[in-house]
Amino acid sequence: MSQLPSFEDTTDFENADRGFMGALVPAVVRAADGRVVWDNDAYDYLKAECPDTVNPSLWRQAQLCAKQGLYEVTEGIYQVRGLDLSNMTLVEGDRGVIVIDPLISTECAAAALALYREHRGERPVTGLVYTHSHGDHFGGACGVLPEGTEQGVPVIAPAGFLEHAVSENVYAGNAMTRRAMFMYGDRLPKSPHGQVSAGLGMTTSTGTVSLIPPTVDVTRTGQEETVDGVRIVFQLTPGTEAPAEMNFSFPQRRALCLAENATHNMHNILTLRGAVVRDSRIWSRYLDEAVDFFGDSYDVAFASHHWPTWGRENVVEMLTQQRDLYAFMHDQTLRLLNSGLTGPELAEEMQLPPALEQAWHARGYYGSLSHNTKAIYQRYLGWFDGNPAHLWEHPPVELAKRYVDLAGGPEAAVAKARTYAADGDLRFAATLLNHVVFGAPQYQQAREELAGVYERLGHGCENGPWRNFYLMAAVELREGPGTIELDTSGGMAMALTVDMLLDSLAVRIDGPKAWDDSLTVDLDLTDEGDRHRLTLRNGALTHRVTSVEAPVDLTLTLTKPLLLGLLAGKGMDGIGHEGDPAVLRRLLSYITTADKSFAIVTP
């Protein structure tokens, strides 16, 4: 059984309040059309005592994450916290201010910068730093550097940043975004019965996402850059919390930025919205390297989420415990899987050492010991557990029909599920009711029963995303699926390479509809200087850059912006062509539009 740290330890609360300079009042950010994209005041209910509908440990974490305003980290370094899922850090230079991680939305980033300027004066933005390639650390870029003001301003990022920043949303972006609605509690009320926290922060803002491409790449550990008179020393940490990520220090200020590699919670090895499984072994090693590489060059460490840690000894203790946390999960998962345990089995067996269980910053508020160890298993052995009974199972609906039949029909199955729930076995009650929902969708009582079980499970969760998933499932069982709403008009599409654009086109081809057709199209990109040859055969669209002349069905002469417009349905205006335009119409007719509201918890 997990051992909680002492609630009498108030160090985190003291650190979260330290350096407070002022808050945004009211803490509400709106888009240009008046739509609310962030409302931190909605969490005022956290000032009360913890109710029985929230895990006390998660309530504590939510109280800490909900603190909002401008904070001084050390002389010349400030953070705006509580205006998005992530923090925005501002480092004062000779002429202006360097912005680190401009949040998710341009509206929130602009509000954060305005709050800083309210207290520190109208300093221009003289540098922009992206710690890593996740959207909550670059999406608000145009809010601090509006179009036309970015000229001459260095934009620094780790090597590989741009490719990873945009590619994550190209291939499985629709599915990831739909699942992210569950992970962050998109449709839940902000209340003790609903959305409380994501653990890493409160939730995600819903404004305009932008991207300004980097102008300076950090390619090695030990690289130094001076921006506006401020010296920065970098440690490259690829393959940790993100494929492209970096820590860095400010020796003149004796401060260390830990990006998202060491925050005040256990992080995800595989985020529940979906992603490529992360390497906890490498993550641990880079944390160990950070302790040695940065030595005694800092007195405070801050990250892109949560609150800083002051005192080098305290920082080293946190870093080494976080190091041990990821190493322990990795090594013990491998030990157990090599003993024959499957992912679910080893997740039940796993327990952290007492010293880590009782460290608040190692608690599973965002990642969890259960789903992280299953992810490590997945990284090494994949989805199949070796048991051939699981090699060719029926899909969910067909499997559910048979289980409902075995249970004696939907009414009998629901009655049995009620008994399990009454006896406290909510996990199996959820499994059984889920079979009824999928196997007998006309039996509405099963949906209500399952929604009630999910609510009970959610209310007990220490993990923020687990709570959100359970409670969102309850909402969708009662009200139906929600719809993805994401504004990426602020430069994300233009940041895609042509290869990525064509890859995104290929994964939208309806293969069965197209597999009897055969066509070849050349795209002559005049602004890129390349010719891309698209070939549709056997329902698969492939492409390559070529300089070889060959017979094709159609050649289009265009620019990358015109290609974007063509794929967005804006037509052929401005595009030259040689060959039969009907070939293009055939190709475009095979492109599908992703379902923005596909069901997850119902058939």
Side-chain angles (χ1 to χ4, degrees):
M1 191 69 179
S2 179
Q3 298 288 319
L4 278 171
S6 171
F7 281 83
E8 294 180 3
D9 179 1
T10 59
T11 304
D12 285 335
F13 286 91
E14 292 160 10
N15 286 342
D17 287 331
R18 181 168 172 173
F20 177 72
M21 299 179 68
L24 180 67
V25 180
V28 177
V29 180
R30 296 181 182 273
D33 61 5
R35 177 174 54 91
V36 173
V37 300
W38 181 260
D39 182 1
N40 208 68
D41 289 344
Y43 296 101
D44 282 350
Y45 66 83
L46 289 165
K47 295 172 184 175
E49 293 296 313
C50 179
D52 59 8
T53 55
V54 185
N55 183 293
S57 181
L58 180 60
W59 186 264
R60 175 189 182 276
Q61 182 77 352
Q63 288 179 317
L64 288 160
C65 291
K67 292 178 181 291
Q68 177 267 127
L70 177 69
Y71 297 81
E72 183 180 43
V73 176
T74 190
E75 184 178 356
I77 299 181
Y78 303 84
Q79 279 193 321
V80 177
R81 304 200 285 271
L83 288 187
D84 211 322
L85 182 72
S86 47
N87 301 333
M88 189 165 92
T89 304
L90 304 108
V91 181
E92 293 179 351
D94 293 342
R95 296 187 303 105
V97 63
I98 303 161
V99 173
I100 302 171
D101 287 355
L103 310 180
I104 295 174
S105 303
T106 59
E107 296 87 349
C108 291
L113 182 60
L115 179 62
Y116 163 80
R117 285 172 170 166
E118 178 185 334
H119 293 273
R120 296 295 299 165
E122 290 289 328
R123 300 167 185 261
V125 173
T126 50
L128 183 59
V129 181
Y130 303 135
T131 60
H132 63 287
S133 53
H134 290 153
D136 51 327
H137 302 271
F138 66 77
C142 290
V144 298
L145 281 174
E147 187 175 355
T149 66
E150 73 274 18
Q151 297 300 319
V153 178
V155 180
I156 303 175
F161 167 87
L162 192 59
E163 175 189 353
H164 293 297
V166 296
S167 67
E168 184 172 64
N169 293 313
V170 169
Y171 306 116
N174 194 67
M176 284 183 181
T177 304
R178 178 77 175 96
R179 285 167 56 155
M181 293 171 63
F182 278 70
M183 184 168 173
Y184 296 105
D186 177 82
R187 297 171 66 190
L188 299 178
K190 309 294 192 291
S191 78
H193 294 274
Q195 203 270 342
V196 170
S197 173
L200 190 66
M202 298 314 291
T203 188
T204 51
S205 65
T206 56
T208 306
V209 178
S210 65
L211 175 59
I212 299 173
T215 60
V216 179
D217 287 339
V218 175
T219 58
R220 61 180 176 84
T221 293
Q223 182 173 331
E224 297 190 16
E225 301 290 338
T226 299
V227 180
D228 194 12
V230 178
R231 178 174 164 238
I232 313 174
V233 181
F234 295 93
Q235 177 204 12
L236 209 58
T237 64
T240 50
E241 186 270 338
E245 191 150 359
M246 61 188 183
N247 301 325
F248 43 93
S249 70
F250 298 92
Q252 298 151 296
R253 311 288 166 80
R254 295 193 58 78
L256 173 62
C257 176
L258 292 169
E260 202 170 321
N261 286 319
T263 52
H264 289 277
N265 55 213
M266 178 193 296
H267 216 294
N268 284 302
I269 304 304
L270 176 57
T271 173
L272 297 183
R273 65 175 167 79
V276 175
V277 179
R278 297 162 185 168
D279 190 341
S280 52
R281 179 183 61 92
I282 290 295
W283 198 333
S284 172
R285 290 188 179 182
Y286 277 122
L287 289 172
D288 191 52
E289 181 183 86
V291 173
D292 179 64
F293 177 72
F294 292 110
D296 63 353
S297 65
Y298 57 87
D299 298 317
V300 61
F302 60 91
S304 298
H305 297 272
H306 301 140
W307 49 95
T309 300
W310 282 270
R312 184 179 177 277
E313 290 184 1
N314 296 328
V315 175
V316 169
E317 180 181 31
M318 180 182 176
L319 283 173
T320 54
Q321 286 184 327
Q322 289 268 314
R323 172 200 67 192
D324 296 345
L325 174 66
Y326 296 113
F328 184 90
M329 286 192 290
H330 175 273
D331 296 347
Q332 295 310 302
T333 298
L334 269 291
R335 178 180 69 84
L336 292 172
L337 72 82
N338 280 317
S339 298
L341 272 64
T342 65
E345 289 169 339
L346 64 85
E348 293 292 305
E349 289 282 324
M350 193 75 69
Q351 185 173 355
L352 292 177
L356 296 181
E357 275 197 335
Q358 295 174 39
W360 282 116
H361 66 81
R363 301 299 299 180
Y365 298 120
Y366 194 52
S368 77
L369 188 60
S370 176
H371 76 252
N372 277 345
T373 50
K374 291 173 189 171
I376 296 167
Y377 179 97
Q378 177 183 326
R379 181 180 176 88
Y380 284 93
L381 294 182
W383 66 268
F384 181 47
D385 64 4
N387 183 341
H390 303 144
L391 190 57
W392 193 32
E393 289 184 299
H394 286 293
V397 170
E398 292 305 314
L399 192 66
K401 287 178 181 177
R402 288 155 175 81
Y403 275 113
V404 171
D405 181 55
L406 281 172
E411 286 139 353
V414 168
K416 289 182 174 72
R418 285 197 196 104
T419 300
Y420 281 107
D423 290 342
D425 190 352
L426 297 177
R427 295 165 74 179
F428 187 70
T431 299
L432 185 51
L433 288 166
N434 184 63
H435 281 315
V436 183
V437 167
F438 276 77
Q442 75 285 356
Y443 192 64
Q444 292 296 316
Q445 184 60 33
R447 296 192 182 203
E448 183 55 41
E449 293 283 347
L450 182 53
V453 169
Y454 281 154
E455 284 179 337
R456 290 176 63 187
L457 284 165
H459 291 165
C461 287
E462 183 180 28
N463 182 277
W466 280 38
R467 176 188 173 92
N468 291 337
F469 257 91
Y470 281 128
L471 299 185
M472 276 287 292
V475 168
E476 297 214 348
L477 282 166
R478 290 168 174 148
E479 300 176 10
T483 301
I484 298 168
E485 294 181 7
L486 182 65
D487 183 355
T488 57
S489 60
M492 281 288 288
M494 277 302 296
L496 291 168
T497 65
V498 173
D499 272 343
M500 289 176 183
L501 281 170
L502 298 179
D503 283 344
S504 72
L505 179 64
V507 300
R508 293 168 56 199
I509 293 291
D510 184 336
K513 183 179 177 182
W515 64 32
D516 289 327
D517 203 350
S518 176
L519 57 85
T520 305
V521 175
D522 273 2
L523 302 179
D524 190 359
L525 276 298
T526 56
D527 53 344
E528 303 261 333
D530 288 326
R531 173 172 290 198
H532 293 257
R533 182 158 295 152
L534 282 61
T535 303
L536 181 69
R537 299 278 192 285
N538 297 310
L541 182 69
T542 59
H543 60 91
R544 67 180 184 273
V545 175
T546 184
S547 58
V548 178
E549 295 290 337
V552 297
D553 298 305
L554 176 66
T555 298
L556 300 179
T557 303
L558 70 174
T559 61
K560 181 180 171 184
L562 288 173
L563 174 60
L564 279 167
L566 179 64
L567 297 180
K570 295 183 179 177
M572 291 276 290
D573 286 351
I575 299 175
H577 71 276
E578 182 179 336
D580 184 0
V583 171
L584 179 63
R585 290 194 292 272
R586 272 166 44 211
L587 176 60
L588 295 179
S589 73
Y590 301 131
I591 300 174
T592 59
T593 300
D595 183 354
K596 300 291 185 182
S597 58
F598 61 82
I600 292 177
V601 297
T602 57

